[in-house]
Amino acid sequence: MHGSPPEQALARKRLEPHVEQIRTWLGERDMTLKQVWRLLNGRGVAVSYPSIKRFVRQRLEPATPRVTVRLETPPGRQAQVDFGRTRVMVAGERPWTGGPTTPTTWS
């Protein structure tokens, strides 16, 4: 964990007056927490990046909900490539190995 409890309390004290502005910024499209941190530092709010990450995680709800987009395609029209890990038997050992996986729709 970054910072001692007194340092964390000081960071919270510095950030609390800006909570509504932070919430507004985070609600903007394409705004990142790193950008919010830079904006605050530009306004003289001296806190570390881990401090603002902790503050937002503990104090604010996410500005936008996570969204899942379901892709519906006919059979054989779409495939996804991902990276997977598994254990394989090699010379009597079972080391972890990784490689591409291609889950397909309608499979």
Side-chain angles (χ1 to χ4, degrees), residues 10-104:
L10 179 59
R12 276 192 308 275
K13 185 176 178 180
R14 289 178 179 168
L15 290 167
E16 194 62 44
H18 305 279
V19 69
E20 289 307 317
Q21 180 62 66
I22 293 168
R23 188 186 318 272
T24 299
W25 282 333
L26 289 174
E28 292 177 11
R29 186 173 183 205
D30 298 328
M31 180 65 73
T32 67
L33 193 54
K34 186 71 86 166
Q35 291 169 314
V36 169
W37 173 68
R38 289 181 183 134
L39 288 166
L40 287 168
N41 275 274
R43 292 181 173 201
V45 182
V47 296
S48 68
Y49 181 66
S51 292
I52 192 163
K53 279 177 47 177
R54 186 173 34 255
F55 178 80
V56 167
R57 186 174 52 248
Q58 293 172 351
R59 178 72 169 78
L60 299 176
E61 294 293 323
T64 56
R66 293 206 179 268
V67 176
T68 300
V69 177
R70 185 179 171 106
L71 300 174
E72 297 288 341
T73 62
R77 295 290 307 262
Q78 181 255 348
Q80 299 173 359
V81 177
D82 203 350
F83 191 82
R85 284 179 37 130
T86 189
R87 289 182 182 245
V88 295
M89 186 66 75
V90 178
E93 304 272 327
R94 294 199 62 208
W96 282 101
T97 187
T101 64
T102 54
T104 58

